[in-house]
Amino acid sequence: MLMFAEGTTIHKSLLVPLVALQAPKDVISWTKGDYGQWTAFLGLLLRLLSLLPGELELPLSTMLFVSIAPYQFMNLRGTQDSVILSLAIAAYLAFQHFTGAGGVRKAFDRGAVVATLCIICITLIPLLFLL
């Protein structure tokens, strides 16, 4: 949801490793499998031909990232190290969002409330897994 949310000043490219670390095992195995490879290939082909809308660039980047990620990085998934890394990325995204919005109070304005709730959720989930 945060990939498509408006009203935030975060660098959305940081969501790619966060999604790769927190995605379910079935999604990762599908992406690393033949169907995921073909989907990433066709998406990249459409991107090269400039036929891919801008909203789909981050999901495509995520698929490519997972497809080419080394075994050691993908082995981090489900460990305490991945939770700490996810929490660090989420905390940095929260910091970017709240400073870009001008404070916590302004982050809950009408235009940014969805992005703020998404940021809070992606920060709380790794925090709960850490405890």
Side-chain angles (χ1 to χ4, degrees):
M1 180 71 183
L2 192 56
M3 286 184 183
F4 304 113
E6 296 293 324
T8 183
T9 59
I10 64 168
H11 295 288
K12 292 185 180 181
S13 60
L14 290 174
L15 293 172
V16 171
L18 186 69
V19 169
L21 285 171
Q22 293 182 351
K25 190 175 193 171
D26 293 335
V27 172
I28 297 298
S29 64
W30 183 85
T31 304
K32 285 186 128 349
D34 285 340
Y35 294 119
Q37 298 288 326
W38 274 102
T39 305
F41 171 74
L42 293 174
L44 186 59
L45 183 64
L46 289 174
R47 175 67 185 119
L48 290 174
L49 297 173
S50 299
L51 300 175
L52 188 71
E55 296 87 22
L56 296 178
E57 284 190 30
L58 282 176
L60 174 64
S61 297
T62 304
M63 288 192 72
L64 290 172
F65 185 84
V66 169
S67 296
I68 65 167
Y71 176 75
Q72 292 84 0
F73 180 78
M74 295 313 289
N75 245 9
L76 280 177
R77 296 181 62 256
T79 64
Q80 194 77 8
D81 296 336
S82 73
V83 173
I84 292 170
L85 186 58
S86 296
L87 185 61
I89 293 170
Y92 179 70
L93 289 174
F95 172 76
Q96 273 188 332
H97 175 69
F98 289 121
T99 56
V104 176
R105 186 173 303 267
K106 290 183 181 177
F108 284 98
D109 286 345
R110 285 189 182 181
V113 70
V114 173
T116 301
L117 292 175
C118 289
I119 291 287
I120 290 171
C121 286
I122 67 167
T123 306
L124 286 179
I125 290 171
L127 188 62
L128 290 175
F129 283 132
L130 191 61
L131 302 174

